[in-house]
Amino acid sequence: TALVSVFLLVAMLVSTSALAETDLVNRFSDQQLLNILKAEGYSSVEILDPGELLIKINGRPHMLFVEDDGDLRAYYGISGVKVTCKDTNTWNRTRRLSRAFIDDENDPVLKELYGHLLMVWIDGGEAHTNELIRRFVKAPKPMYYAPDVLNTFWAEYLRENKVATSDVDPDDFMRASYAKALVHRQPIYAKMAENWGLRITAEQVSKVKSAEDFETLIAEALEAR
């Protein structure tokens, strides 16, 4: 398990010899950042790619990223430490300019999403799932499936219905595959909520009548996580 702290850097430790106090700087170039860091005593600094700097502190790698708008973000990961969701929640709640998360999957997309928003999984439960299936059977709609999942569903449909590819009714295929898709994605969503977001139930959402109700629901879910 890796605990990664994401720091939104709104100011750099810049020596007075590097910039005058009266200077207003909207952004730094990669080379300027490298020079500033070295002037501050960080001897091991390297530009890996445009907007990406590697800083080694006591042999441990830290990444500094330059965003399109000039903001700076630093990533630092550690492993071999037992950290709970409660620990990360406490960290995020008590530290203004940083974000911590538990990364079991090393997923760069989820990392990026987590840095900008809170993912919330609405777990419907069996009754809600059955209602979703009923609605879908009544009025099928287009859905995206990962290629490996789609190929599996397609092969199963052809085999179970003994039909050729050219004879498949698209709506019938979608109806037959929708329930399987719900079963397939359930553990995936659960894992995403565990590592990157929150889980709330459809029953809880059904009781929300106002923005204040929703904010209270999310706040309570964050506290309980």
Side-chain angles (χ1 to χ4, degrees):
T1 301
L3 176 65
V4 183
S5 300
V6 183
F7 301 91
L8 173 60
L9 302 180
V10 295
M12 292 291 295
L13 292 174
V14 182
S15 64
T16 54
S17 61
L19 288 174
E21 292 183 359
T22 56
D23 287 340
L24 178 63
V25 179
N26 292 322
R27 65 182 302 132
F28 295 102
S29 69
D30 295 347
Q31 188 61 49
Q32 285 176 316
L33 289 170
L34 184 146
N35 294 339
I36 290 169
L37 288 164
K38 286 194 172 183
E40 291 297 322
Y42 298 98
S43 58
S44 181
V45 185
E46 178 184 357
I47 300 174
L48 298 182
D49 284 304
E52 298 182 11
L53 285 81
L54 171 64
I55 311 160
K56 288 188 178 179
I57 303 174
N58 296 325
R60 294 184 175 182
H62 299 63
M63 290 298 300
L64 180 64
F65 296 95
V66 184
E67 302 294 338
D68 291 339
D69 59 3
D71 281 351
L72 306 176
R73 285 193 299 153
Y75 284 76
Y76 172 61
I78 58 175
S79 60
V81 178
K82 189 172 182 61
V83 179
T84 66
C85 289
K86 185 177 181 180
D87 294 330
T88 58
N89 288 340
T90 300
W91 175 281
N92 291 332
R93 187 171 61 250
T94 57
R95 286 163 174 80
R96 180 167 170 249
L97 298 178
S98 69
R99 205 77 182 275
F101 57 84
I102 299 173
D103 174 17
D104 285 336
E105 303 296 333
N106 196 30
D107 189 307
V109 175
L110 292 178
K111 279 184 182 178
E112 186 65 22
L113 287 174
Y114 187 86
H116 298 280
L117 51 85
L118 175 65
M119 288 177 278
V120 179
W121 173 40
I122 303 176
D123 184 3
E126 184 176 352
H128 186 69
T129 298
N130 290 337
E131 176 61 18
L132 289 177
I133 294 172
R134 185 192 68 78
R135 294 178 187 174
F136 192 89
V137 168
K138 183 178 180 180
K141 61 182 180 180
M143 285 187 61
Y144 169 80
Y145 296 93
D148 58 331
V149 176
L150 177 62
N151 291 335
T152 298
F153 289 170
W154 184 255
E156 289 175 351
Y157 180 87
L158 296 180
R159 183 177 63 255
E160 292 169 0
N161 293 276
K162 297 181 175 57
V163 295
T165 299
S166 58
D167 296 328
V168 171
D169 178 344
D171 284 349
D172 190 60
F173 168 70
M174 294 296 294
R175 292 187 182 99
S177 302
Y178 183 69
K180 294 180 180 180
L182 294 184
V183 172
H184 171 79
R185 72 189 188 187
Q186 189 82 359
I188 297 175
Y189 287 176
K191 192 69 173 178
M192 290 171 62
E194 178 184 352
N195 290 338
W196 306 97
L198 293 177
R199 172 190 173 274
I200 58 178
T201 67
E203 182 180 1
Q204 289 174 310
V205 173
S206 69
K207 298 176 182 177
V208 171
K209 304 300 181 185
S210 65
E212 290 76 14
D213 289 347
F214 179 73
E215 291 173 357
T216 299
L217 174 60
I218 297 300
E220 290 176 349
L222 280 169
E223 189 66 27
R225 188 175 63 172

